[in-house]
Amino acid sequence: MDILLFPIVFGWLAGYFVNYASDVLPRTRHFSRPVCHHCQSSFSWADYLTLRACRSCGKGRGLRTWLVQILAVASFTYFWLSPSKVLGFPLGALVLIYFGIITVIDLEHRLILHPTSLFGAILGLFVGTYIYSYSRSSGILSGLGSSLLGGLIGFGVMYLLYQVGGLVARLRARRMQAAGQADDEEEALGGGDVYLLGVLGLMLGKDFILNALVLGVLFGGIVSLLFIIALLVRRRYSNDALMTFIPYGPYFIIAAFYILFF
Ligand SMILES: [Zn+2]
């Protein structure tokens, strides 16, 4: 049992960091004092770390905070017992924390932030080089090459998809204007996803980035299909439902997670 104390404590601390980064980065873009989501008054560090409700407005810390803490402890314990074969535990833990932060921020704000993408690029280059050199027992240079090429492929493919998405959005805006409706400026694929796929490409390298792209698109497509079926069943379906913004980022993160850890 003592042997599990380490991943449980470390997982709880990792959960703090994912929550903290997801709370402050979308607001200030740097590590600042955490504030209440409801009334914007600052938390004391003691209150923040003990997950207390806000003292000014009395509102609790929200479901996400608790979910992240629990999931972090559960996943750290799981991967302590059976670590990713290619990453090992320490590097795997770092990747898990990173994926946690971008997933939460993307789901809550539909944003992939530039500071997290920049950090991800450095982490991705390191992880991609390490995996390739280690699994092929080849030199660092060929690992670097695989990582950079993977990044280029991920970024390039997503950039093209983004251009197509932009074209569709413009056509739709024109159609809506013609119909006398205001343009709602929704994009099918966010620009941040281009950077995200660049980061995932660096991480996975040239051999696996296409797998992640295909898996992500398939997975996102299946979930969207289920969503449309649910709307049809509840008779809420309209022409616009098909065009509703789908945050694709989390699906690509799940795909990369699957490839790296299983
Ligand atoms: Zn408050």
Side-chain angles (χ1 to χ4, degrees):
M1 197 54 208
D2 321 343
I3 196 171
L4 287 183
L5 199 64
F6 175 74
I8 290 172
V9 170
F10 193 42
W12 186 263
L13 294 176
Y16 274 154
F17 186 66
V18 172
N19 273 318
Y20 170 62
S22 309
D23 284 338
V24 301
L25 289 182
R27 276 179 54 84
T28 61
R29 301 294 195 271
H30 62 91
F31 293 121
S32 51
R33 186 78 174 263
V35 300
C36 170
H37 287 309
H38 303 283
C39 70
Q40 321 297 326
S41 53
S42 309
F43 275 109
S44 73
W45 284 108
D47 283 355
Y48 188 74
L49 294 178
T50 48
L51 309 181
R52 275 188 57 108
C54 169
R55 285 185 196 263
S56 300
C57 70
K59 294 235 169 68
R61 287 287 296 283
L63 185 62
R64 181 262 285 170
T65 302
W66 294 96
L67 262 181
V68 164
Q69 293 297 139
I70 292 163
L71 276 175
V73 169
S75 58
F76 271 55
T77 308
Y78 179 84
F79 289 116
W80 175 257
L81 295 172
S82 58
S84 153
K85 284 195 182 65
V86 289
L87 291 173
F89 181 78
L91 204 51
L94 212 58
V95 171
L96 276 180
I97 292 171
Y98 177 70
F99 281 177
I101 293 169
I102 42 178
T103 305
V104 172
I105 294 178
D106 198 10
L107 288 176
E108 290 183 348
H109 302 272
R110 293 176 173 179
L111 265 181
I112 307 249
L113 303 171
H114 288 313
T116 57
S117 295
L118 191 65
F119 174 80
I122 298 165
L123 178 67
L125 196 62
F126 182 75
V127 168
T129 305
Y130 171 79
I131 291 176
Y132 190 89
S133 313
Y134 177 77
S135 64
R136 312 235 172 166
S137 21
S138 66
I140 286 179
L141 272 182
S142 56
L144 258 180
S146 159
S147 174
L148 286 171
L149 188 56
L152 205 66
I153 294 171
F155 187 90
V157 169
M158 211 55 186
Y159 180 77
L160 287 178
L161 287 175
Y162 183 55
Q163 295 303 318
V164 173
L167 194 69
V168 172
R170 276 196 296 279
L171 286 174
R172 177 168 176 257
R174 203 175 298 164
R175 209 186 58 195
M176 285 178 78
Q177 271 171 4
Q181 290 169 293
D183 179 11
D184 56 4
E185 287 178 3
E186 287 207 69
E187 287 176 277
L189 273 170
D193 287 336
V194 177
Y195 293 102
L196 174 66
L197 262 290
V199 167
L200 295 181
L202 287 170
M203 221 174 252
L204 295 167
K206 66 180 167 63
D207 295 337
F208 294 104
I209 180 58
L210 285 176
N211 302 36
L213 272 162
V214 171
L215 264 180
V217 168
L218 270 180
F219 190 37
I222 290 169
V223 173
S224 312
L225 199 66
L226 291 176
F227 180 67
I228 290 170
I229 291 171
L231 287 176
L232 278 174
V233 168
R234 292 163 64 187
R235 297 173 188 280
R236 295 252 190 93
Y237 182 81
S238 72
N239 221 355
D240 274 347
L242 201 68
M243 296 295 219
T244 306
F245 179 98
I246 302 159
Y248 254 96
Y251 300 116
F252 291 118
I253 294 168
I254 290 169
F257 171 75
Y258 179 77
I259 293 171
L260 284 171
F261 287 87
F262 298 100

